[in-house]
Amino acid sequence: EDQVTQSPEALRLQEGESSSLNCSYTVSGLRGLFWYRQDPGKGPEFLFTLYSAGEEKEKERLKATLTKKESFLHITAPKPEDSATYLCAMGGATNKLIFGTGTLLAVQP
Amino acid sequence: NAGVTQTPKFRILKIGQSMTLQCTQDMNHNYMYWYRQDPGMGLKLIYYSVGAGITDKGEVPNGYNVSRSTTEDFPLRLELAAPSQTSVYFCASSRPADPRGAFFGQGTRLTVV
Protein backbone atom coordinates (compact mmCIF):
# COMPACT_ATOMS: atom_id res chain seq x y z
CA GLU A 1 0.00 0.00 0.00
CA ASP A 2 1.29 3.46 -0.93
CA GLN A 3 2.05 5.38 2.25
CA VAL A 4 3.74 8.58 3.40
CA THR A 5 4.98 9.08 6.97
CA GLN A 6 6.31 12.35 8.34
CA SER A 7 8.34 12.98 11.48
CA PRO A 8 8.43 14.61 13.87
CA GLU A 9 4.77 15.61 14.31
CA ALA A 10 5.87 18.90 15.85
CA LEU A 11 9.17 20.72 16.15
CA ARG A 12 10.07 23.81 18.12
CA LEU A 13 13.27 25.65 17.19
CA GLN A 14 15.02 28.77 18.32
CA GLU A 15 15.66 31.34 15.63
CA GLY A 16 18.89 30.36 13.86
CA GLU A 17 18.78 26.73 15.05
CA SER A 18 18.99 24.51 11.96
CA SER A 19 17.16 21.18 11.73
CA SER A 20 15.60 18.66 9.34
CA LEU A 21 12.12 17.26 8.75
CA ASN A 22 11.72 13.69 7.54
CA CYS A 23 9.32 12.15 5.03
CA SER A 24 9.51 8.41 4.42
CA TYR A 25 7.47 6.75 1.70
CA THR A 26 6.53 3.37 0.29
CA VAL A 27 5.25 3.38 -3.27
CA SER A 28 5.35 1.07 -6.26
CA GLY A 29 6.24 3.82 -8.71
CA LEU A 30 7.07 7.32 -7.52
CA ARG A 31 5.80 10.12 -9.73
CA GLY A 32 7.29 12.95 -7.78
CA LEU A 33 7.80 13.75 -4.09
CA PHE A 34 6.22 17.07 -3.24
CA TRP A 35 6.76 19.46 -0.35
CA TYR A 36 4.13 22.03 0.56
CA ARG A 37 3.90 24.71 3.22
CA GLN A 38 0.57 25.35 4.96
CA ASP A 39 -0.15 28.42 7.10
CA PRO A 40 -3.07 28.40 9.57
CA GLY A 41 -6.41 28.86 7.82
CA LYS A 42 -4.85 28.60 4.36
CA GLY A 43 -4.47 25.99 1.67
CA PRO A 44 -1.15 24.20 1.03
CA GLU A 45 1.37 26.19 -0.99
CA PHE A 46 3.87 24.48 -3.29
CA LEU A 47 7.56 24.45 -2.31
CA PHE A 48 9.46 21.69 -4.18
CA THR A 49 9.13 18.61 -6.33
CA LEU A 50 11.81 15.90 -6.44
CA TYR A 51 11.76 13.04 -8.95
CA SER A 52 14.85 10.90 -8.49
CA ALA A 53 17.20 9.75 -5.73
CA GLY A 54 20.06 12.19 -5.23
CA GLU A 55 18.08 15.17 -6.44
CA GLU A 56 18.19 18.38 -4.34
CA LYS A 57 16.24 21.64 -4.58
CA GLU A 58 16.79 24.87 -2.63
CA LYS A 59 14.77 27.96 -1.87
CA GLU A 60 16.01 30.57 0.58
CA ARG A 61 16.56 28.76 3.92
CA LEU A 62 14.99 25.49 2.74
CA LYS A 63 16.63 22.57 0.96
CA ALA A 64 14.85 19.36 -0.01
CA THR A 65 16.67 16.10 -0.71
CA LEU A 66 15.51 12.69 -1.90
CA THR A 67 16.70 9.10 -1.45
CA LYS A 68 15.00 5.88 -2.57
CA LYS A 69 13.01 5.66 0.66
CA GLU A 70 12.81 9.12 2.17
CA SER A 71 13.05 12.85 1.70
CA PHE A 72 14.39 15.49 4.02
CA LEU A 73 13.50 19.15 4.29
CA HIS A 74 16.50 20.91 5.77
CA ILE A 75 15.90 24.30 7.36
CA THR A 76 19.02 26.42 7.80
CA ALA A 77 19.05 29.30 10.31
CA PRO A 78 15.24 29.50 10.47
CA LYS A 79 13.34 32.69 11.18
CA PRO A 80 9.95 33.07 12.93
CA GLU A 81 8.29 33.56 9.52
CA ASP A 82 9.25 29.96 8.66
CA SER A 83 6.72 28.77 11.27
CA ALA A 84 4.07 26.69 9.48
CA THR A 85 2.99 23.12 8.86
CA TYR A 86 5.15 21.38 6.25
CA LEU A 87 3.43 18.69 4.23
CA CYS A 88 5.04 15.96 2.17
CA ALA A 89 3.11 14.16 -0.59
CA MET A 90 3.71 11.44 -3.18
CA GLY A 91 2.53 12.09 -6.70
CA GLY A 92 0.37 9.56 -8.49
CA ALA A 93 -1.45 9.15 -11.76
CA THR A 94 -3.40 12.28 -12.86
CA ASN A 95 -1.40 14.31 -10.32
CA LYS A 96 -3.32 12.82 -7.40
CA LEU A 97 -1.40 13.36 -4.18
CA ILE A 98 -1.00 11.08 -1.16
CA PHE A 99 -0.17 13.27 1.81
CA GLY A 100 1.63 12.64 5.06
CA THR A 101 0.21 14.06 8.28
CA GLY A 102 2.61 17.01 8.32
CA THR A 103 5.17 18.53 10.67
CA LEU A 104 4.13 21.61 12.65
CA LEU A 105 7.18 23.86 12.90
CA ALA A 106 7.39 26.69 15.41
CA VAL A 107 10.40 29.02 15.32
CA GLN A 108 10.78 31.19 18.36
CA PRO A 109 12.62 34.55 18.25
CA ASN B 1 -5.64 35.79 -11.71
CA ALA B 2 -7.65 34.49 -8.74
CA GLY B 3 -6.41 30.86 -8.93
CA VAL B 4 -8.71 28.44 -7.08
CA THR B 5 -11.70 30.03 -5.31
CA GLN B 6 -13.85 28.20 -2.78
CA THR B 7 -17.13 29.32 -1.23
CA PRO B 8 -18.27 29.49 1.48
CA LYS B 9 -15.28 29.84 3.82
CA PHE B 10 -17.22 28.65 6.86
CA ARG B 11 -20.49 26.78 7.30
CA ILE B 12 -22.42 25.12 10.11
CA LEU B 13 -24.86 22.40 9.10
CA LYS B 14 -27.35 20.41 11.11
CA ILE B 15 -27.32 16.61 10.89
CA GLY B 16 -29.30 15.50 7.85
CA GLN B 17 -29.05 18.79 5.96
CA SER B 18 -27.50 19.03 2.52
CA MET B 19 -25.19 21.59 0.96
CA THR B 20 -22.91 22.25 -1.98
CA LEU B 21 -19.34 23.46 -1.62
CA GLN B 22 -18.41 25.58 -4.62
CA CYS B 23 -15.03 25.54 -6.35
CA THR B 24 -13.94 27.44 -9.43
CA GLN B 25 -10.52 27.91 -11.07
CA ASP B 26 -9.43 30.41 -13.71
CA MET B 27 -6.19 28.71 -14.81
CA ASN B 28 -7.79 26.48 -17.47
CA HIS B 29 -6.58 23.38 -15.63
CA ASN B 30 -7.86 20.01 -16.78
CA TYR B 31 -7.55 18.26 -13.43
CA MET B 32 -9.50 19.18 -10.31
CA TYR B 33 -9.67 17.56 -6.87
CA TRP B 34 -11.47 17.66 -3.56
CA TYR B 35 -9.55 16.83 -0.38
CA ARG B 36 -10.60 16.87 3.24
CA GLN B 37 -8.23 17.62 6.09
CA ASP B 38 -8.87 16.43 9.64
CA PRO B 39 -6.62 17.28 12.61
CA GLY B 40 -3.56 15.02 12.67
CA MET B 41 -4.75 13.04 9.64
CA GLY B 42 -3.32 14.85 6.63
CA LEU B 43 -5.30 15.49 3.45
CA LYS B 44 -7.41 12.71 2.00
CA LEU B 45 -8.69 12.65 -1.59
CA ILE B 46 -12.49 12.56 -1.87
CA TYR B 47 -13.11 12.87 -5.63
CA TYR B 48 -11.22 14.05 -8.66
CA SER B 49 -11.88 14.95 -12.28
CA VAL B 50 -9.63 14.86 -15.34
CA GLY B 51 -11.91 17.00 -17.45
CA ALA B 52 -15.46 18.21 -18.00
CA GLY B 53 -17.90 15.33 -17.74
CA ILE B 54 -15.38 12.94 -16.14
CA THR B 55 -15.20 12.26 -12.41
CA ASP B 56 -13.84 9.45 -10.27
CA LYS B 57 -13.70 8.41 -6.63
CA GLY B 58 -10.74 9.01 -4.41
CA GLU B 59 -9.89 7.45 -1.06
CA VAL B 60 -12.89 8.67 0.99
CA PRO B 61 -15.90 9.27 -1.34
CA ASN B 62 -18.76 7.98 0.84
CA GLY B 63 -21.37 10.63 1.63
CA TYR B 64 -20.27 12.97 -1.18
CA ASN B 65 -21.09 13.57 -4.83
CA VAL B 66 -19.47 15.70 -7.51
CA SER B 67 -20.15 16.92 -11.01
CA ARG B 68 -17.97 18.64 -13.63
CA SER B 69 -20.04 20.33 -16.31
CA THR B 70 -17.38 22.96 -17.18
CA THR B 71 -13.58 23.15 -17.04
CA GLU B 72 -13.77 25.90 -14.42
CA ASP B 73 -16.21 24.51 -11.84
CA PHE B 74 -16.11 21.42 -9.63
CA PRO B 75 -18.81 21.53 -6.91
CA LEU B 76 -18.88 19.03 -4.04
CA ARG B 77 -22.31 17.96 -2.79
CA LEU B 78 -22.95 16.68 0.73
CA GLU B 79 -26.22 14.79 1.13
CA LEU B 80 -27.57 14.02 4.61
CA ALA B 81 -24.71 15.63 6.53
CA ALA B 82 -23.22 13.63 9.40
CA PRO B 83 -20.89 14.70 12.26
CA SER B 84 -18.13 12.61 10.64
CA GLN B 85 -18.13 15.11 7.77
CA THR B 86 -16.95 17.90 10.05
CA SER B 87 -13.66 18.85 8.43
CA VAL B 88 -11.81 21.41 6.36
CA TYR B 89 -12.36 20.88 2.63
CA PHE B 90 -9.84 21.92 0.01
CA CYS B 91 -10.37 22.14 -3.71
CA ALA B 92 -7.31 21.96 -5.97
CA SER B 93 -6.47 22.01 -9.66
CA SER B 94 -3.52 21.14 -11.86
CA ARG B 95 -2.30 20.58 -15.41
CA PRO B 96 -1.25 17.09 -16.54
CA ALA B 97 2.29 16.30 -15.34
CA ASP B 98 2.67 19.78 -13.81
CA PRO B 99 5.90 19.64 -11.74
CA ARG B 100 4.30 22.00 -9.21
CA GLY B 101 1.67 19.43 -8.35
CA ALA B 102 -1.65 21.06 -7.54
CA PHE B 103 -2.81 24.58 -6.70
CA PHE B 104 -5.09 24.73 -3.66
CA GLY B 105 -7.95 26.98 -2.64
CA GLN B 106 -8.22 28.58 0.80
CA GLY B 107 -10.52 25.91 2.16
CA THR B 108 -14.05 25.60 3.54
CA ARG B 109 -14.38 24.84 7.25
CA LEU B 110 -17.54 22.78 7.75
CA THR B 111 -19.05 21.86 11.10
CA VAL B 112 -21.97 19.40 11.33
CA VAL B 113 -23.91 19.58 14.61
Side-chain angles (χ1 to χ4, degrees):
Chain A
E1 182 186 350
D2 296 345
Q3 197 166 357
V4 178
T5 304
Q6 291 189 247
S7 62
E9 289 184 9
L11 182 62
R12 182 171 293 182
L13 299 174
Q14 291 295 125
E15 184 172 1
E17 179 186 2
S18 302
S19 188
S20 297
L21 313 183
N22 176 264
C23 171
S24 62
Y25 63 91
T26 55
V27 64
S28 52
L30 185 66
R31 300 185 192 211
L33 188 293
F34 298 80
W35 283 97
Y36 286 85
R37 170 188 171 130
Q38 186 176 24
D39 292 301
K42 302 285 182 65
E45 187 177 320
F46 172 77
L47 289 173
F48 304 108
T49 308
L50 304 165
Y51 288 101
S52 55
E55 189 175 357
E56 299 184 353
K57 295 262 178 86
E58 279 189 75
K59 179 181 179 180
E60 295 180 359
R61 295 175 293 281
L62 301 177
K63 182 168 83 172
T65 61
L66 183 67
T67 71
K68 288 186 177 179
K69 293 184 178 181
E70 56 191 351
S71 177
F72 292 93
L73 185 66
H74 306 279
I75 303 174
T76 301
K79 297 182 177 181
E81 53 261 42
D82 295 321
S83 297
T85 296
Y86 290 87
L87 299 168
C88 166
M90 291 190 305
T94 61
N95 279 11
K96 290 180 291 183
L97 297 170
I98 300 172
F99 282 90
T101 53
T103 294
L104 176 62
L105 175 66
V107 182
Q108 295 182 316
Chain B
N1 217 356
V4 179
T5 302
Q6 293 182 235
T7 56
K9 287 187 171 50
F10 304 93
R11 183 73 185 268
I12 299 174
L13 276 184
K14 293 184 179 179
I15 294 171
Q17 286 185 322
S18 299
M19 78 164 292
T20 299
L21 281 65
Q22 301 292 344
C23 175
T24 187
Q25 53 94 6
D26 62 0
M27 297 173 284
N28 201 32
H29 285 171
N30 300 88
Y31 297 166
M32 294 189 75
Y33 317 84
W34 275 105
Y35 291 88
R36 61 176 287 172
Q37 185 176 34
D38 300 308
M41 297 296 290
L43 283 86
K44 302 288 186 185
L45 183 64
I46 305 171
Y47 270 96
Y48 68 100
S49 168
V50 299
I54 307 170
T55 63
D56 207 347
K57 296 177 181 179
E59 189 180 358
V60 290
N62 291 345
Y64 307 95
N65 278 300
V66 293
S67 60
R68 182 101 182 267
S69 56
T70 67
T71 299
E72 294 78 22
D73 300 308
F74 191 40
L76 178 71
R77 178 82 177 162
L78 278 71
E79 304 282 1
L80 298 174
S84 61
Q85 293 177 306
T86 294
S87 188
V88 181
Y89 292 84
F90 289 99
C91 179
S93 72
S94 77
R95 288 193 185 90
D98 192 324
R100 293 164 298 179
F103 292 82
F104 286 81
Q106 295 293 291
T108 294
R109 182 175 294 275
L110 175 68
T111 303
V112 182
V113 297

